[in-house]
Amino acid sequence: QKEVEQDPGPLSVPEGAIVSLNCTYSNSAFQYFMWYRQYSRKGPELLMYTYSSGNKEDGRFTAQVDKSSKYISLFIRDSQPSDSATYLCAMSHLNTGNQFYFGTGTSLTVIP
Amino acid sequence: KAGVTQTPRYLIKTRGQQVTLSCSPISGHRSVSWYQQTPGQGLQFLFEYFSETQRNKGNFPGRFSGRQFSNSRSEMNVSTLELGDSALYLCASSSMGLGLGSTEAFFGQGTRLTVV
C-alpha cells in the first residue's frame, strides 16, 4: 500500500464549477501538507501549504486537512480553463526536511 | 526574485553513460532536494542536501548520487545509465533550517532525461 493515495482521474468539469480534489494517507506522523499544480512539461507549482489540521483559504483555493481521518482536500471555486492541470498532494514528517511523499496526481480539465 | 533554475532542460544519453544535472536554488535557500518523476511511479524522493550535507536519502541505487556546494547549488549524478532512468528530474528549494519541520518547497522546471 502506498503511503499517499490520490485518485488519478481524469476529472472534467465545466467552467465555473467547484472542484474537489482529495488524498488519503496512512502515516499518522505526517504533519505538513501541500498541494501543487503541474502544467504539462513544467515543474510543480506550490498552491497551498498547511501545517496539521484545519482549513486554509487563498483566493479561489481552500485546503482542508482532517488528521483524524487521514484525509486532505483541495477545493477550487469558480474553476477556470487555466486551472486545467495535474494536481499533486504532498506531505511530510516533522524533521524530515524536504522528503515529501507525493500522491500520483489528479488530472483536471476545465471546459469553457 | 529568481526561481529555481535547473540545467540542462533536456538531455539524451546512451545506456551505460553517466550524466550530471545542476540545480541553483532560490537565493537564500539552503535546502535542495531531488525527485524523479515518471508516469508510472509519480514523484519519488532521491535525496536532500542542506548546507553541503546529505540529510535524507530515498530508495534509489548507489548509481544516483549528489552533492551541494557552499553557494547551495546542487548537482545530481547518475552513472551507468539504464533505460529505466528516463524521467523528469526535479529539484526543490527550501529555506528550512535544522530542527524545524518542513517549509514550503519550490520546484524548478526539471531536466528531462531520455536514455536510449
Side-chain angles (χ1 to χ4, degrees):
Chain A
Q1 181 192 10
K2 297 191 73 169
E3 290 198 73
V4 182
E5 300 280 356
Q6 184 176 9
D7 186 339
L11 187 59
S12 184
V13 302
E15 183 176 354
I18 296 174
V19 177
S20 172
L21 304 167
N22 311 295
C23 288
T24 59
Y25 61 95
S26 56
N27 192 334
S28 59
F30 287 140
Q31 289 188 295
Y32 302 88
F33 304 92
M34 288 135 286
W35 284 95
Y36 287 87
R37 176 174 64 193
Q38 186 173 26
Y39 293 113
S40 180
R41 310 191 78 79
K42 300 286 189 181
E45 171 193 8
L46 180 65
L47 286 176
M48 302 288 281
Y49 165 81
T50 311
Y51 169 67
S52 194
S53 286
N55 295 355
K56 184 175 182 178
E57 187 174 320
D58 184 1
R60 296 185 296 111
F61 299 92
T62 299
Q64 287 186 352
V65 175
D66 182 349
K67 290 192 70 180
S68 63
S69 300
K70 298 190 183 69
Y71 187 88
I72 69 171
S73 300
L74 177 71
F75 297 95
I76 307 174
R77 291 182 300 280
D78 188 24
S79 56
Q80 302 295 310
S82 59
D83 294 329
S84 298
T86 296
Y87 290 79
L88 299 154
C89 63
M91 44 199 82
S92 65
H93 310 146
L94 181 65
N95 289 332
T96 57
N98 284 336
Q99 183 170 358
F100 296 153
Y101 296 81
F102 279 86
T104 51
T106 299
S107 175
L108 171 68
T109 300
V110 180
I111 302 167
Chain B
K1 191 175 187 180
V4 181
T5 303
Q6 290 188 246
T7 57
R9 290 292 310 278
Y10 303 93
L11 267 178
I12 299 175
K13 289 287 188 178
T14 303
R15 194 170 44 182
Q17 287 186 312
Q18 75 165 13
V19 66
T20 299
L21 313 181
S22 178
C23 173
S24 293
I26 293 170
S27 178
H29 284 192
R30 295 165 66 191
S31 168
V32 174
S33 55
W34 289 88
Y35 290 81
Q36 180 195 65
Q37 186 176 30
T38 57
Q41 298 294 321
L43 275 101
Q44 293 185 288
F45 174 77
L46 282 154
F47 31 67
E48 184 207 1
Y49 287 86
F50 182 88
S51 292
E52 302 178 64
T53 300
Q54 186 180 87
R55 195 154 57 168
N56 289 303
K57 190 177 192 306
N59 295 324
F60 278 81
R63 300 186 297 106
F64 292 82
S65 63
R67 59 178 176 168
Q68 187 180 33
F69 302 94
S70 58
N71 62 358
S72 293
R73 189 177 71 86
S74 177
E75 288 182 347
M76 190 191 98
N77 184 274
V78 187
S79 62
T80 320
L81 284 166
E82 300 177 0
L83 296 179
D85 297 333
S86 295
L88 180 66
Y89 290 89
L90 293 157
C91 81
S93 161
S94 173
S95 64
M96 68 168 290
L98 287 172
L100 299 177
S102 302
T103 61
E104 296 96 324
F106 299 91
F107 282 86
Q109 299 285 31
T111 294
R112 186 164 297 278
L113 172 65
T114 302
V115 182
V116 297

